[in-house]
Amino acid sequence: MALFTGFVGAPHLHALVRLLGYQGVAVVVGELLGVARGLLHGTLAQFTQALQNAMPRHCKLPRYDYGSNGVLGYYHAQLTDIVQYPDARTELFHAFRELGNIILFCMLIEQALSQEEVTDLLHAAPFQNILPRPHTAEGEKPETKQKRLEAKYAALQIVPNVDKYGTAKQSQLSREGDLLTRERLCCGLSLFSVVLRRLRACLAAPQWPAPAPKHHAATDLDQNDFHRLWSALQFLYCIPVGETQFTVEELFGEGLHWAGCTIIALLGQQRRFEALDFCYHILRVQRQDQKDDVVKGIPLKRMVDRIRRFQVLNSQIFSVLARHLSAEDERAGVEHVRCFPPPSANKIN
């Protein structure tokens, strides 16, 4: 038992799924969605509105000519109110961490549930006349060996035996159970997709901006969009801390990033975030000039290394979310570009 203490992982989730069953998991997820709704309509909405008022009205992407040190100094001056916000590393990040942990738990519980379902199907297969294809040597007929295998395990078949020896009610129940077991994974249902849809409905409240139109051009003047605020917060936690201080990842784990990326994806702002993020712009400029200065007490190279690690993490989170969001509403999917054929020679003449 000591191997499973000190953390929460796959063994605990599998045990939870076996213990609770479908109805228990539904109750737990429903309660978690209630907590997430309270965070989105309460604490996070209040903090978001307060911080958006502290955001600079104009915060553009500086030209590469300024150098990465100049870009870092510009953003540090523009985002002073956000960097010095007293409750950012305590209450605000803690609220985002709670929301992110809820999202992560729902995703992991679905993975555990799917693995348990596959295990159940494999265990039930011999009792449903679902037998593996037998190996046949050269010259042997697979149909003959398959029939022998079915005759060998005929005594295990639940439905025929219940029909033969049971009552009408037992026969009906056995057929319904057999049908449920066979088609359990055939519907393509996803618990995590339902959770994301419920969270998207929560973001439709007046406290949150509406998703951007599909053909709205991305500009760095959309300061009221959530992705701009998250860029400012990402700038804050990408700043390296001292040796005696705890980093954001040590204090809050990945739940913080899951919350921010999920809200961005559900609001349809992923592409704007990736194109206009402050930290990503510093990273792109520093890759060109390779400077390693200290700006406002911030070591540029260390900060760029942190930005790159969080960029990889954000990309992984967005890719997971994209697999569960519908293709119609997913802004990070493949764009449909209409290609016009070249003019024919007859039309040119």
Side-chain angles (χ1 to χ4, degrees):
M1 296 298 295
L3 293 176
F4 304 115
T5 59
F7 76 102
V8 176
H12 309 91
L13 295 176
H14 283 278
L16 193 64
V17 167
R18 297 191 197 102
L19 179 64
L20 296 178
Y22 287 113
Q23 293 182 347
V25 170
V27 171
V28 171
V29 173
E31 293 296 326
L32 291 176
L33 284 174
V35 176
R37 188 181 303 108
L39 288 171
L40 290 173
H41 289 175
T43 305
L44 290 180
Q46 295 171 3
F47 274 118
T48 299
Q49 291 178 345
L51 287 175
Q52 282 179 340
N53 294 330
M55 285 286 292
R57 293 299 92 191
H58 300 285
C59 190
K60 299 183 179 181
L61 301 181
R63 296 173 54 183
Y64 278 52
D65 299 344
Y66 291 97
S68 55
N69 53 352
V71 174
L72 175 57
Y74 170 79
Y75 283 139
H76 189 274
Q78 289 287 326
L79 303 174
T80 300
D81 293 338
I82 304 296
V83 173
Q84 296 179 354
Y85 189 72
D87 297 330
R89 290 182 176 271
T90 54
E91 297 183 21
L92 176 61
F93 284 175
H94 177 70
F96 275 115
R97 180 190 66 83
E98 286 188 20
L99 177 62
N101 287 345
I102 290 173
I103 297 170
L104 263 175
F105 179 83
C106 293
M107 184 188 70
L108 295 176
I109 203 71
E110 183 195 34
Q111 293 179 0
L113 188 61
S114 299
Q115 293 173 6
E116 290 297 320
E117 287 178 338
V118 171
T119 303
D120 291 344
L121 290 176
L122 292 176
H123 288 167
F127 302 94
Q128 296 180 290
N129 200 28
I130 303 175
L131 303 174
R133 190 175 183 86
H135 172 72
T136 55
E138 186 176 355
E140 290 183 329
K141 293 183 178 181
E143 295 82 4
T144 304
K145 298 194 69 174
Q146 185 72 24
K147 289 181 179 179
R148 291 177 184 173
L149 198 62
E150 292 177 357
K152 180 179 179 181
Y153 292 99
L156 296 178
Q157 308 310 314
I158 296 294
V159 175
N161 289 330
V162 174
D163 290 342
K164 185 176 180 180
Y165 301 107
T167 63
K169 182 64 174 178
Q170 291 172 339
S171 177
Q172 179 186 359
L173 292 176
S174 66
R175 291 183 179 276
E176 291 177 354
D178 179 73
L179 180 63
L180 175 63
T181 304
R182 288 177 182 271
E183 299 186 358
R184 185 182 297 179
L185 296 180
C186 296
C187 299
L189 301 178
S190 173
L191 172 67
F192 190 55
S193 298
V194 174
V195 171
L196 292 179
R197 287 200 297 268
R198 298 286 179 85
L199 293 178
R200 176 179 285 171
C202 295
L203 293 175
Q207 297 93 330
W208 296 91
K214 198 176 263 190
H215 302 292
H216 173 64
T219 66
D220 51 11
L221 300 178
D222 300 328
Q223 300 299 335
N224 291 328
D225 289 346
F226 176 79
H227 73 90
R228 300 295 282 173
L229 173 59
W230 189 254
S231 293
L233 294 177
Q234 183 166 262
F235 179 86
L236 169 60
Y237 63 69
C238 282
I239 297 176
V241 297
E243 296 182 357
T244 59
Q245 296 176 303
F246 291 102
T247 62
V248 168
E249 49 269 34
E250 291 174 337
L251 291 173
F252 305 103
E254 294 185 1
L256 173 67
H257 314 286
W258 272 91
C261 292
T262 301
I263 294 175
I264 289 173
L266 294 179
L267 291 176
Q269 300 174 2
Q270 176 187 344
R271 296 198 173 200
R272 290 171 174 78
F273 170 73
E274 293 176 339
L276 304 175
D277 180 66
F278 307 138
C279 293
Y280 290 1
H281 189 62
I282 297 174
L283 175 63
R284 289 190 291 264
V285 177
Q286 200 275 339
R287 280 178 172 175
Q288 297 297 322
D289 57 28
Q290 296 294 319
K291 291 185 178 180
D292 187 12
D293 299 338
V294 177
V295 181
K296 303 291 184 180
I298 302 173
L300 177 59
K301 185 64 170 57
R302 285 183 58 196
M303 183 169 182
V304 168
D305 293 338
R306 289 179 56 80
I307 293 173
R308 177 54 185 161
R309 290 200 299 271
F310 289 130
Q311 184 185 42
V312 172
L313 176 60
N314 292 341
S315 300
Q316 293 173 348
I317 295 173
F318 282 132
S319 65
V320 172
L321 296 174
R323 291 198 298 268
H324 291 86
L325 293 173
S326 61
E328 180 180 356
D329 297 329
E330 176 53 42
R331 301 297 192 269
V334 178
E335 291 185 351
H336 298 282
V337 180
R338 184 177 179 183
C339 299
F340 294 91
S344 61
N346 296 332
K347 291 184 178 181
I348 295 178
N349 294 334

